[in-house]
Amino acid sequence: MGSEEFRLNRLPRLVEAGLSLADLAPVSAPAAHADKGPPMQAALHRGIGQLEVTEINRPQALPGTVVVKVGAAGICGTDLRAYRQDPGSHNLPHGHEFAGTIIEVGEGVSHDRIGKRVTADLFLNAMCGKCQFCTSGYPYHCVDKALPFRSGGFAEYARVKDSATFDLPDSIDDALGAFVEPLAVSTHAVRLVGVRPGMTGVVIGAGTIGLCAVAAALHAGATNIFVVAKHAFQGDLARAIGATDVLPDDLGSTINRIREAAPHGADFVIEAVGGGQATIDQATRFLAPRGRVGIAGATGPGIKVVEAYPALEKELTFIYSACYGYLDGKHDFEVAIENLALEGERLRKLTTHEFRIADGPLAFQTANDKKSGSVKVQLKL
């Protein structure tokens, strides 16, 4: 469902004073909004397995935008994918899981915004603001995304549209604020699946998105949440944030454990691995008839998903969840912020490593190596 709040509040903020991303020069234009601010430190992708901490010019506020002094920024799976696979050298910082304080505003933005602590939605920041998906509150599906003033969180300062920001309460510091984005990813899957109070569910995968799915399902009222974890330290974290139990490796024992809590099987499964048919087939075995699978794990092309017969017999529903947006008039960031305001100290345990930006290369090496025991690695600025 589209969001009335989006149409009445955020969209006008986007187009205030006539601003539209479609009206700005594309990022590929060499002279497009060349920043001339003072030097700042930034961690830049320089090729496969290569990160350089160097100085670039600080971004300046443009019409409709704000400059945020970044307090913390998390390393996401998509950042790691680029770290492993992208041979290119980039002159602008990545990083979309960040939080900080607004220190400068552009034309059309109230000066009252200065001093506000915020995080930002990457897709609200990139949307065209005109297509049917943008005006319905689904910016992830925008057909004309653009980032003419791209500026990521792996730097001391970042520039974003004010309409893409979400204010943080005092109970959520910058480290927790940088957790809003990954928690919103999992929150979207949980909301799409329709988790309700009293339900029993299983989360397959205990990386950041899987563990955030545990937190999101508990926030939605689920009574029992079981977790399939690859590493023992992930299972320990799952229990620490409220999971009922970590399931054994043996499939038969796993099903029996689930049915101790739910005699007919789980009401829902969140798949947070992206492993393809093996994990989806596993989900069908865990579910009760009429159950739902929320597929939040990222996959690539060519993945064969499910053996159809068990799903047919149980009349299962499969729901793919790629990111976040508005559902029933409320943005997933807002729900995630409410969750963090209540359970922030518990969820803080998911941040296993923190590094200063000067140690950015070591931070990426740590995040890329699960033998390090890393779940969420953050840069502190």
Side-chain angles (χ1 to χ4, degrees):
M1 180 185 295
S3 167
E4 195 65 18
E5 188 272 344
F6 179 82
R7 295 189 184 94
L8 296 178
N9 184 19
R10 292 189 178 275
L11 193 57
R13 284 166 65 186
L14 169 71
V15 299
E16 194 172 62
L19 176 70
S20 169
L21 283 175
D23 298 329
L24 299 176
V27 70
S28 57
H33 307 300
D35 288 306
K36 299 178 181 178
M40 68 171 183
Q41 279 197 311
L44 304 180
H45 178 87
R46 295 303 199 193
I48 295 174
Q50 299 296 316
L51 196 80
E52 180 188 13
V53 179
T54 187
E55 286 190 344
I56 62 173
N57 288 336
R58 201 190 89 180
Q60 299 163 297
L62 301 171
T65 73
V66 298
V67 175
V68 176
K69 186 180 189 306
V70 178
I75 298 174
C76 175
T78 54
D79 299 317
L80 289 177
R81 191 173 300 117
Y83 181 74
R84 297 175 190 132
Q85 300 176 5
D86 182 1
S89 180
H90 299 264
N91 293 321
L92 292 171
H94 295 174
H96 53 269
E97 300 178 4
F98 68 89
T101 304
I102 295 174
I103 56 97
E104 183 184 345
V105 299
E107 180 183 347
V109 180
S110 170
H111 283 268
D112 291 342
R113 299 293 291 155
I114 294 176
K116 296 292 185 182
R117 295 182 49 260
V118 298
T119 186
D121 173 347
L122 130 98
F123 293 105
L124 285 176
N125 196 46
M127 72 181 199
C128 72
K130 296 179 178 180
C131 72
Q132 70 180 80
F133 300 107
C134 285
T135 56
S136 297
Y138 306 123
Y140 173 74
H141 298 290
C142 172
V143 299
D144 193 22
K145 296 184 186 77
L147 282 173
F149 43 71
R150 178 179 164 187
S151 176
F154 296 150
E156 293 181 275
Y157 297 88
R159 174 177 52 223
V160 294
K161 294 185 298 183
D162 183 49
S163 58
T165 63
F166 289 80
D167 291 358
L168 298 172
D170 291 340
S171 59
I172 299 178
D173 60 19
D174 289 341
L176 285 177
F179 237 103
V180 171
E181 197 273 351
L183 183 55
V185 171
S186 299
T187 295
H188 191 67
V190 164
R191 295 175 76 196
L192 284 175
V193 165
V195 177
R196 300 187 302 275
M199 283 186 167
T200 291
V202 179
V203 175
I204 301 175
T208 298
I209 299 304
L211 292 171
C212 283
V214 172
L218 290 170
H219 184 67
T223 300
N224 295 293
I225 300 293
F226 298 96
V227 175
V228 176
K230 183 176 181 180
H231 303 286
F233 71 87
Q234 294 173 328
D236 292 341
L237 280 173
R239 291 188 183 94
I241 65 170
T244 305
D245 203 356
V246 176
L247 294 171
D249 292 334
D250 174 71
L251 182 60
S253 299
T254 291
I255 292 172
N256 289 338
R257 180 67 185 92
I258 295 168
R259 291 189 175 180
E260 289 174 8
H264 302 293
D267 299 297
F268 67 92
V269 172
I270 303 295
E271 197 278 351
V273 177
Q277 182 171 347
T279 50
I280 305 301
D281 284 346
Q282 194 176 38
T284 67
R285 300 290 299 275
F286 295 162
L287 284 165
R290 307 285 298 169
R292 292 186 164 206
V293 183
I295 304 170
T299 62
I303 298 295
K304 308 301 181 184
V305 176
V306 67
E307 182 182 346
Y309 183 72
L312 171 64
E313 276 291 288
K314 290 184 176 181
E315 292 190 320
L316 302 180
T317 300
F318 294 84
I319 300 171
Y320 283 86
S321 177
C323 207
Y324 37 74
Y326 283 85
L327 293 172
D328 296 326
K330 193 168 189 176
H331 197 288
D332 296 305
F333 269 50
E334 296 172 275
V335 180
I337 289 169
E338 291 171 358
N339 193 347
L340 285 165
L342 292 171
E343 298 290 344
E345 291 312 307
R346 182 183 293 188
L347 296 180
R348 194 186 297 278
K349 298 172 184 176
L350 303 187
T351 301
T352 54
H353 297 76
E354 295 178 340
F355 295 88
R356 305 305 300 181
I357 190 171
D359 296 318
L362 180 58
F364 267 76
Q365 291 168 20
T366 303
N368 194 45
D369 180 11
K370 291 307 173 188
K371 292 179 182 177
S372 68
S374 65
V375 174
K376 178 55 65 181
V377 178
Q378 286 190 345
L379 296 178
K380 305 298 286 290
L381 297 107

